[in-house]
Amino acid sequence: MTALHRKLLRDLWHLRGPATAISLVMACGVATFVMSLCTLETLWRAQSEYYDRYRFADVFVRVKRAPESLAARLAEIPGVAQVETRIVEQVNLDVSGYPEPATGRLVSIPDYRPPRLNQLHLRRGRRPEPEREGEVLVSEGFADAHRLQPGDKVRAILNGRRQDLMIVGIALSPEFIYQIREGDLIPDDKRYGVFWMPRTALEAVFDMDGAFNDAVLSLTPDAVPGEVLRRTDDLTEPYGGIGAFDRSEQASHKFVTNEMSELRGMALVVPTIFLLVSAFLLQVVVSRLIGTQREQIATLKAFGYRRSEVGVHYLEMIMVMAVLGVILGTVAGAWLGASVAAMYARFFRFPEFQFHLSPRVLLAAAGLSLTVAGLATLGAVRRAMALPPAEAMRPEPPAAYGTSWIDSQRVFRDASPVVRMIVRQIARRPFRSAMTCFGISLAVAVLILGSFMVDALDDVIDLEFTVAQRQDMMLTFFEPTVGRGVANVRHLTGVLSIEPFRALPVRLRAQNHSRRLALLGLPSDARLYRIVDRDRRAIPVPRHGVVISANLAKALELSAGDWLTVEVLEGKRPVVHLQIESLVADFQGESAYADLAVVNRLMQEGNVVSGVFLTADAAHLNALYRQLKETPQIASVSLKGAALTSIRQTIAANILRMRAFNVGFACVIAFGVVYNSARIALAERGRDLATLRVIGFRRGEVSGILLGELALFTLAAIPFGLLLGYGMADLVIHMAYDTELFRIPLVVNRWTYAFAATTTILAAACSGLIVARRVGQLDLIAVLKTRE
Amino acid sequence: MGKTNPRTEGMPATSEECRTHPHERVPVFQARGLTRVYRVGDIEIQALRGIDLDLYSGEFVVLLGPSGSGKSTLLNILGGLDAPTSGFVRFRDHDLVAADEAALTEFRRDHVGFVFQFYNLIPSLTARENVALITDITPNAMRPEDAIRVVGLADRMNHFPAQLSGGEQQRVAIARAIAKRPDVLLCDEPTGALDVTTGVTVLEAIESVNRELGTTTAVITHNAVIAGIADRVISLSDGRIVREEHNAIRKPPRELVW
Ligand SMILES: Nc1ncnc2c1ncn2[C@@H]1O[C@H](COP(=O)(O)OP(=O)(O)OP(=O)(O)O)[C@@H](O)[C@H]1O
Ligand SMILES: [Mg+2]
């Protein structure tokens, strides 16, 4: 080893504190980068492999009832590769030992061959045999939630008749990677499951001999999807088609894709912050180091070390810190990634989901970090290289303190010498002082960034579940039902009040835009389910026209007062023009509401509803559940409380974990910035401080000078950091969470602000105290002996 | 900055090869009309006001002069650490004024050993490593251990500068300067901070290198007594050479008293 390398190692050892801080901050950046991008790649690979191997369909078609002969006509549409027709029904389930109602989705599979599309991955057990009554496969999520094994039974109400579903196997399908019931915000494996049953068995139960009500298509590579959808709609319209859609509207696909775009946003914002902070710390530490080593550099040069050799020497030192950061970050990122992947594996059901540490991502992370480190220190290293040796040999001139405006301030004149020292120090290096403040602010901001999601979701939940939806449960009927069905529900034990609704599949059109969605018809005096905007204002049910989401209006390029075309995809399929009476700025962004009476008039079906919202007496819930399970007309029961609990559990399991990561990261930043500032202050003023000690100042007083400055920086940084955090949260929402599915509001509550401020102060105090201990270890004699 | 061959061989050679001089020997350094002006804000400081000087191979020169007379400035220019404001300097046939920074670096690397007033050891390296720092980049260097033995510090080889006294540090600095077997040894007040006995030890080390290796040596000092050990004593005052004396016999450093 050359002597210069020995110097490198000893210098690094001497700088181990600041160097570790820098490496750690950099490691956080690398870790988040590696974690999000590797998870993203893992998801992407798992998804595309799954889709490929199990032949996920491209187009999804729902009809009321179509003859099997339609399949051949669908197959003839140019661009369609394969067609698989199915029977899909929603049923009520009664799982033994579980009082609450659950919903099952029954999907037919061909009797003796695997489906052509959306093939199943059999986890356990065997395929059901059409000859044996009631044999089914169950989705893994539901099986896990209820600990169901092959051989177990689940009771279901099939077309008004009770039947036992015999579980013979547990399966997965690319169609239900994310298994969520329509209309729910979050999956609930306890209350929603998918069952696959042989086609003939389903045909028999639902009187669908030679008919189907659902079809999936795959496309040829040269297909024009829009054209296929249009032709499909033309063919299915006579059979009650409610509009074909492609993968972008398929629930599971939509959620998985949405998650990926969130990860992508996360991979951009958070690591950038860490890299910036580490760049700043590196810059400060390396400039300082090169400043203190002026004479050493001059000596090297005097003896003929070349510019490049000097440059390489310092660059190596920087790279050691950066490489250490990259290594630590990669290890941490792999660990975090594996843990996030495990979390995804609980929500996204893939046949195989192995966290994949992508070499591409690792290379990018390493390249990015090293480049940032190099750029941050470029100036300092170039200064070292350009240092004129003769001049540098002369000692650095004493720090130039001058009188400034502050000296003329009265307050300042009366201040103690310690306060004056602090103020002058700050005033002398305004840029560095500002950067230190900024670094600490970033810690505050990261804390807010890591925590605001919880606030935002709490806000959404509160709005959805207490302000907008005031029912206890929602029932939907198999068929649009007339008043008598509703009356039956009202008379069930425990029902306090009910409110009918009608959800109508429609296509909204405006010029060349169109959207398929459910138009919700509500009574004009709706109390249980209200239209509420993000500011919690209730918007009245429109009298003649519709109210639609502001987001939807934007997508359709419409505003309040405009007219739009509503094509109903059910019944006699009327097409009407309705005026947009007002817009509602809501979170889901894809809602349309009308008066129930208006809906019924345009359907010309009389007083018909598709379901009811109801409130129930908590004391009679179990009785009510029992009755509901036995009411054949009811297709599904959604319990609000259950949904709320499941959302809360999901948040606790996932978002709080992410929050813990972020708190860790933010502490690293706060600690790193304050620790480095303190170390540098100590290095720069070690001599002054030792002098003070020699002339009789106490250790505490001397530490006070050092820490006073940092305390001031920390306090100044906090308000700015709070603002910065709010701004970054806004940015993240726009980059990652402003998807079609969800519009997360920007809500940061007081506790989060307080938490961010307190955590930062604590981290800063810890690092300050560690450095203050060094004041006690100042070698008074050595400091005074060396020349300045 | 010159990108081509940075070695000294690439330096522009002066047109007049080896001017005649009263001395029969060939000058190693030739300086003519050297001035050096420092500019600090609006103030100009004339550190050198026209220096003509020749140094000969193997010669031991002492530079005397009051503080601020320009001794260090002159030495730095001769050593290729600094450039004159006007005038020219030649080392053998290499023009130091026309040389760019890279060429000066190579000049120092190949030919010059420095001993600084404030030792300038690298604090994070031991005595031996401080010497090795230089021998690492020199092809025909001594072994660092041997250089340290020359200055009599064999038993302190693995001590850090902070663990050595001022005189010991200065001896390490000399070991570092001579380890590369330089053609010229430039010492800026090597005894400035030392007591008599240590000062003598240090001077002995320098003198023996000059005598045994024939290294052209220039030593700056405030201390007129030291002048006795030199071949030639040059006195500076206010940026000019004011006196030049030749010693018929060089006194051994041990006989110096101050
Ligand atoms: N880098 C510089 N900037 C400004 N002035 C300088 C610089 N270096 C030297 N000087 C000035 O040039 C003059 C000569 O300086 P020099 O260091 O050569 O003197 P010296 O003879 O070595 O003095 P000493 O015996 O005190 O070391 C002095 O007045 C000094 O202040
Ligand atoms: Mg001097």
Side-chain angles (χ1 to χ4, degrees):
Chain A
M1 194 183 339
T2 65
L4 201 57
H5 280 122
R6 274 179 210 281
K7 170 180 179 303
L8 181 86
L9 291 183
R10 298 230 174 88
D11 286 348
L12 274 171
W13 178 246
H14 182 67
L15 283 176
R16 60 193 178 278
T20 311
I22 291 168
S23 298
L24 283 179
V25 174
M26 196 164 263
C28 290
V30 173
T32 44
F33 186 84
V34 167
M35 175 193 81
S36 15
L37 285 188
C38 285
T39 309
L40 179 66
E41 195 161 313
T42 301
L43 262 179
W44 183 82
R45 272 180 177 229
Q47 188 197 41
S48 51
E49 271 171 27
Y50 196 12
Y51 283 4
D52 262 15
R53 280 187 48 197
Y54 293 85
R55 327 206 48 162
F56 184 50
D58 296 304
V59 172
F60 305 82
V61 185
R62 299 265 278 278
V63 296
K64 198 146 183 60
R65 181 194 176 100
E68 193 57 32
S69 58
L70 184 65
R73 288 167 63 203
L74 288 172
E76 281 164 13
I77 297 175
V80 169
Q82 281 186 306
V83 178
E84 183 73 78
T85 61
R86 320 184 294 182
I87 296 166
V88 176
E89 293 287 349
Q90 190 132 305
V91 297
N92 269 321
L93 301 175
D94 184 4
V95 185
S96 62
Y98 188 70
E100 294 177 16
T103 307
R105 188 182 184 83
L106 283 183
V107 179
S108 72
I109 45 175
D111 288 354
Y112 298 110
R113 61 169 172 89
R116 274 186 284 263
L117 298 170
N118 298 347
Q119 295 178 340
L120 303 183
H121 172 83
L122 194 63
R123 221 17 145 204
R124 256 180 301 156
R126 59 168 176 82
R127 303 187 149 267
E129 288 181 18
E131 292 79 16
R132 304 209 190 160
E133 196 180 321
E135 285 194 349
V136 293
L137 293 172
V138 64
S139 58
E140 191 183 45
F142 190 77
D144 285 355
H146 291 281
R147 298 171 196 275
L148 295 172
Q149 299 289 344
D152 290 342
K153 284 185 279 202
V154 172
R155 184 165 291 178
I157 316 237
L158 302 185
N159 205 11
R161 286 203 317 268
R162 242 193 255 199
Q163 189 178 340
D164 281 339
L165 302 178
M166 306 293 303
I167 293 169
V168 297
I170 292 167
L172 301 175
S173 155
E175 203 179 349
F176 303 104
I177 294 174
Y178 193 73
Q179 184 180 299
I180 188 166
R181 178 163 53 184
E182 273 165 61
D184 281 3
L185 285 174
I186 252 173
D188 186 346
D189 282 338
K190 263 200 139 53
R191 295 175 191 83
Y192 181 65
V194 180
F195 297 82
W196 291 272
M197 206 172 183
R199 173 78 175 258
T200 45
L202 270 177
E203 281 183 357
V205 178
F206 290 96
D207 306 321
M208 293 285 277
D209 285 334
F212 67 91
N213 65 5
D214 186 287
V216 286
L217 320 177
S218 65
L219 299 180
T220 56
D222 58 348
V224 184
E227 187 58 22
V228 174
L229 293 181
R230 203 184 53 75
R231 290 194 177 215
T232 308
D233 286 352
D234 289 347
L235 287 178
T236 56
E237 202 195 295
Y239 306 102
I242 57 167
F245 53 91
D246 60 11
R247 286 180 180 180
S248 68
E249 287 186 66
Q250 203 266 340
S252 162
H253 179 85
K254 199 155 73 165
F255 271 93
V256 177
T257 311
N258 195 50
E259 194 59 40
M260 293 202 262
S261 78
E262 287 180 13
L263 277 172
R264 208 169 290 124
M266 167 129 167
L268 283 176
V269 180
V270 182
T272 307
I273 295 172
F274 285 106
L275 281 183
L276 283 181
V277 175
S278 57
F280 158 67
L281 293 179
L282 254 181
Q283 198 274 333
V284 172
V285 168
V286 171
S287 308
R288 171 64 207 159
L289 179 73
I290 286 172
T292 54
Q293 297 200 344
R294 266 168 66 90
E295 291 168 31
Q296 298 184 33
I297 297 166
T299 307
L300 289 176
K301 290 189 144 188
F303 279 97
Y305 272 89
R306 304 188 182 116
R307 280 169 80 101
S308 55
E309 288 165 331
V310 171
V312 166
H313 173 62
Y314 286 101
L315 211 60
E316 281 172 347
M317 198 174 293
I318 294 157
M319 287 305 145
V320 168
M321 299 185 224
V323 166
L324 201 68
V326 169
I327 292 173
L328 275 176
T330 305
V331 172
W335 182 75
L336 290 177
S339 118
V340 170
M343 187 172 96
Y344 278 129
R346 288 175 44 212
F347 285 93
F348 295 149
R349 301 276 174 175
F350 289 101
E352 266 175 278
F353 193 66
Q354 269 299 317
F355 180 68
H356 171 74
L357 208 54
S358 151
R360 254 186 336 162
V361 171
L362 297 189
L363 270 180
L368 205 65
S369 319
L370 299 191
T371 309
V372 167
L375 288 179
T377 49
L378 191 66
V381 171
R382 280 172 61 159
R383 244 181 296 129
M385 290 169 65
L387 198 73
E391 210 162 299
M393 208 59 87
R394 296 163 57 89
E396 210 171 344
Y401 287 93
T403 45
S404 60
W405 64 270
I406 196 143
D407 292 272
S408 55
Q409 302 308 111
R410 218 205 142 84
V411 196
F412 190 69
R413 277 205 305 263
D414 298 341
S416 72
V418 168
V419 172
R420 286 171 185 233
M421 272 179 84
I422 292 173
V423 173
R424 288 224 177 90
Q425 279 154 15
I426 296 172
R428 197 175 133 238
R429 292 186 180 272
F431 180 71
R432 190 192 287 168
S433 304
M435 288 308 283
T436 303
C437 264
F438 182 64
I440 302 173
S441 316
L442 281 174
V444 180
V446 168
L447 278 165
I448 291 181
L449 204 58
S451 310
F452 89 96
M453 279 295 284
V454 179
D455 293 352
L457 288 180
D458 273 345
D459 186 71
V460 175
I461 291 167
D462 183 53
L463 184 84
E464 282 288 323
F465 291 99
T466 58
V467 183
Q469 304 186 31
R470 300 196 275 189
Q471 82 280 13
D472 293 323
M473 56 189 88
M474 177 180 93
L475 313 182
T476 57
F477 301 120
F478 273 107
E479 298 288 328
T481 306
V482 289
R484 197 148 28 86
V486 179
N488 287 345
V489 173
R490 191 194 311 273
H491 294 122
L492 295 175
T493 324
V495 172
L496 296 177
S497 66
I498 66 165
E499 190 171 286
F501 67 89
R502 171 130 202 209
L504 213 53
V506 297
R507 179 179 281 122
L508 301 185
R509 279 190 193 285
Q511 276 120 30
N512 44 3
H513 302 290
S514 84
R515 276 296 151 90
R516 275 167 17 97
L517 47 82
L519 173 68
L520 192 60
L522 296 171
S524 54
D525 59 346
R527 292 164 301 105
L528 295 186
Y529 191 102
R530 303 188 305 161
I531 310 172
V532 174
D533 71 9
R534 257 180 288 184
D535 300 325
R536 289 159 194 255
R537 264 176 316 180
I539 288 168
V541 175
R543 294 169 62 98
H544 309 290
V546 291
V547 169
I548 65 171
S549 297
N551 238 20
L552 182 59
K554 211 163 95 192
L556 298 173
E557 291 184 61
L558 293 174
S559 47
D562 290 346
W563 290 76
L564 53 69
T565 307
V566 179
E567 290 177 26
V568 179
L569 304 170
E570 195 180 281
K572 302 192 182 84
R573 305 177 80 96
V575 176
V576 294
H577 293 278
L578 291 174
Q579 192 179 19
I580 301 173
E581 291 192 7
S582 58
L583 299 180
V584 53
D586 55 3
F587 298 126
Q588 302 204 42
E590 288 261 304
S591 332
Y593 306 94
D595 191 320
L596 182 56
V598 172
V599 170
N600 277 328
R601 212 172 310 127
L602 74 92
M603 292 303 289
Q604 303 171 345
E605 287 174 349
N607 190 15
V608 169
V609 303
S610 32
V612 295
F613 298 111
L614 64 83
T615 56
D617 184 347
H620 295 103
L621 275 185
N622 278 346
L624 179 57
Y625 291 154
R626 220 171 309 119
Q627 290 169 300
L628 287 176
K629 283 179 182 175
E630 304 192 342
T631 308
Q633 294 92 339
I634 292 173
S636 78
V637 180
S638 318
L639 306 176
K640 193 178 79 175
L644 204 56
T645 316
S646 105
I647 289 179
R648 290 246 153 86
Q649 276 167 355
T650 309
I651 290 177
N654 306 317
I655 297 180
L656 290 180
R657 179 190 317 198
M658 293 307 290
R659 180 180 178 156
F661 292 163
N662 278 302
V663 169
F665 290 155
C667 287
V668 170
I669 288 193
F671 187 86
V673 172
V674 177
Y675 177 76
N676 267 326
S677 311
R679 276 296 299 268
I680 283 170
L682 183 62
E684 282 179 346
R685 292 195 286 282
R687 196 184 155 78
D688 301 355
L689 299 178
T691 311
L692 289 177
R693 291 273 286 126
V694 169
I695 62 178
F697 274 72
R698 297 200 188 91
R699 229 173 94 173
E701 292 168 326
V702 172
S703 308
I705 295 175
L706 196 64
L707 299 185
E709 181 182 328
L710 291 167
L712 217 60
F713 284 152
T714 307
L715 292 182
I718 282 171
F720 181 65
L722 297 178
L723 270 177
L724 193 67
Y726 188 82
M728 283 182 179
D730 193 35
L731 184 76
V732 168
I733 281 187
H734 278 101
M735 295 200 42
Y737 297 105
D738 196 7
T739 56
E740 283 211 19
L741 278 185
F742 245 159
R743 301 204 49 210
I744 289 180
L746 179 52
V747 178
V748 183
N749 71 32
R750 273 178 302 169
W751 290 110
T752 300
Y753 285 129
F755 168 73
T758 316
T759 309
T760 309
I761 290 174
L762 284 179
C766 278
S767 55
L769 289 177
I770 290 175
V771 176
R773 273 189 43 218
R774 288 181 155 251
V775 171
Q777 296 157 1
L778 276 180
D779 183 343
L780 304 187
I781 296 162
V783 169
L784 296 181
K785 208 164 69 176
T786 58
R787 113 198 130 89
E788 182 85 22
Chain B
M1 205 88 344
K3 286 192 192 91
T4 47
N5 185 4
R7 313 288 304 183
T8 37
E9 284 72 39
M11 275 204 235
T14 46
S15 50
E16 332 146 63
E17 286 293 320
C18 303
R19 269 200 242 166
T20 47
H21 192 274
H23 246 270
E24 322 75 284
R25 282 186 293 166
V26 186
V28 181
F29 279 107
Q30 256 190 338
R32 290 294 176 273
L34 284 189
T35 67
R36 179 66 168 96
V37 180
Y38 291 108
R39 213 175 287 276
V40 181
D42 296 337
I43 308 163
E44 284 195 350
I45 299 160
Q46 281 272 354
L48 297 180
R49 298 170 188 269
I51 300 272
D52 297 332
L53 179 68
D54 289 330
L55 292 187
Y56 296 94
S57 181
E59 201 180 14
F60 193 132
V61 174
V62 160
L63 292 171
L64 272 179
S67 181
S69 55
K71 305 181 297 290
S72 298
T73 307
L74 177 59
L75 205 72
N76 286 347
I77 291 174
L78 293 178
L81 281 179
D82 198 1
T85 310
S86 68
F88 81 79
V89 208
R90 230 160 39 171
F91 171 76
R92 295 193 181 141
D93 53 356
H94 305 302
D95 184 344
L96 297 186
V97 177
D100 61 17
E101 202 216 277
L104 284 178
T105 302
E106 296 309 320
F107 162 65
R108 298 195 299 266
R109 192 175 176 118
D110 296 342
H111 303 291
V112 188
F114 284 103
V115 178
F116 302 105
Q117 183 176 2
F118 299 108
Y119 329 135
N120 285 78
L121 297 178
I122 305 290
S124 52
L125 295 179
T126 61
R128 198 182 52 76
E129 289 160 356
N130 260 288
V131 178
L133 189 65
I134 307 310
T135 57
D136 280 348
I137 57 164
T138 325
N140 296 315
M142 300 182 194
R143 289 179 46 224
E145 295 76 9
D146 295 340
I148 294 216
R149 226 162 267 132
V150 170
V151 296
L153 279 178
D155 50 338
R156 309 300 298 273
M157 201 105 68
N158 292 319
H159 288 205
F160 285 92
Q163 298 164 330
L164 298 173
S165 76
E168 287 160 350
Q169 288 184 52
Q170 191 62 298
R171 275 145 73 193
V172 175
I174 291 167
R176 179 176 64 179
I178 61 169
K180 70 197 279 188
R181 303 185 210 272
D183 295 320
V184 282
L185 181 59
L186 304 177
C187 311
D188 194 343
E189 299 194 37
T191 57
L194 309 177
D195 64 68
V196 182
T197 4
T198 334
V200 168
T201 324
V202 165
L203 288 175
E204 272 181 331
I206 295 173
E207 201 266 346
S208 75
V209 169
N210 167 260
R211 192 159 27 79
E212 285 159 24
L213 304 177
T215 310
T216 309
T217 306
V219 174
I220 290 180
T221 180
H222 280 293
N223 189 342
V225 177
I226 292 174
I229 65 168
D231 292 317
R232 188 150 55 114
V233 182
I234 297 167
S235 301
L236 268 79
S237 178
D238 196 20
R240 289 196 183 84
I241 295 180
V242 289
R243 196 149 38 104
E244 228 188 288
E245 289 167 55
H246 288 267
N247 290 332
I249 331 154
R250 278 162 54 166
K251 237 190 240 178
R254 212 165 319 149
E255 288 170 21
L256 296 178
V257 213
W258 72 82

Short mmCIF file of all heavy atoms in Angstrom, two decimals, chain A residues 164 262 341 372 475 498 559 682 696:
data_model
loop_
_atom_site.label_atom_id
_atom_site.label_comp_id
_atom_site.label_asym_id
_atom_site.label_seq_id
_atom_site.Cartn_x
_atom_site.Cartn_y
_atom_site.Cartn_z
N ASP A 164 -74.68 -26.73 -0.93
CA ASP A 164 -73.34 -26.80 -0.39
C ASP A 164 -72.33 -26.81 -1.52
O ASP A 164 -72.46 -27.59 -2.47
CB ASP A 164 -73.16 -28.06 0.46
CG ASP A 164 -73.79 -27.89 1.83
OD1 ASP A 164 -73.97 -26.71 2.23
OD2 ASP A 164 -74.12 -28.90 2.48
N GLU A 262 -47.69 4.00 -8.57
CA GLU A 262 -47.33 4.61 -7.28
C GLU A 262 -45.89 4.32 -6.92
O GLU A 262 -45.16 5.19 -6.45
CB GLU A 262 -48.24 4.08 -6.17
CG GLU A 262 -49.64 4.64 -6.23
CD GLU A 262 -50.52 4.11 -5.11
OE1 GLU A 262 -49.99 3.53 -4.16
OE2 GLU A 262 -51.74 4.29 -5.21
N ALA A 341 -42.34 -6.81 -0.72
CA ALA A 341 -42.85 -7.85 -1.63
C ALA A 341 -43.73 -8.84 -0.86
O ALA A 341 -44.77 -9.27 -1.35
CB ALA A 341 -41.70 -8.57 -2.31
N VAL A 372 -23.70 11.56 -8.32
CA VAL A 372 -24.11 12.68 -7.47
C VAL A 372 -22.98 13.04 -6.51
O VAL A 372 -22.65 14.21 -6.32
CB VAL A 372 -25.40 12.33 -6.69
CG1 VAL A 372 -25.66 13.33 -5.59
CG2 VAL A 372 -26.57 12.31 -7.66
N LEU A 475 -77.47 -3.55 0.67
CA LEU A 475 -77.91 -4.81 0.08
C LEU A 475 -78.14 -4.58 -1.39
O LEU A 475 -78.63 -3.53 -1.80
CB LEU A 475 -79.25 -5.26 0.68
CG LEU A 475 -79.41 -5.24 2.19
CD1 LEU A 475 -80.79 -5.78 2.55
CD2 LEU A 475 -78.32 -6.07 2.84
N ILE A 498 -84.44 2.28 5.94
CA ILE A 498 -83.86 1.88 4.67
C ILE A 498 -84.00 3.02 3.67
O ILE A 498 -84.81 3.94 3.84
CB ILE A 498 -84.49 0.60 4.08
CG1 ILE A 498 -85.96 0.88 3.69
CG2 ILE A 498 -84.37 -0.56 5.03
CD1 ILE A 498 -86.50 -0.21 2.81
N SER A 559 -68.37 20.90 -18.32
CA SER A 559 -68.47 21.58 -17.03
C SER A 559 -69.94 21.69 -16.65
O SER A 559 -70.82 21.32 -17.43
CB SER A 559 -67.80 22.96 -17.11
OG SER A 559 -68.22 23.62 -18.27
N LEU A 682 -17.04 22.12 15.39
CA LEU A 682 -16.03 21.78 16.39
C LEU A 682 -14.64 21.82 15.77
O LEU A 682 -13.69 22.35 16.36
CB LEU A 682 -16.31 20.38 16.94
CG LEU A 682 -15.38 19.90 18.04
CD1 LEU A 682 -15.49 20.80 19.26
CD2 LEU A 682 -15.71 18.47 18.43
N GLY A 696 -10.63 29.51 31.35
CA GLY A 696 -11.48 29.29 32.51
C GLY A 696 -12.95 29.08 32.24
O GLY A 696 -13.73 28.94 33.18
#
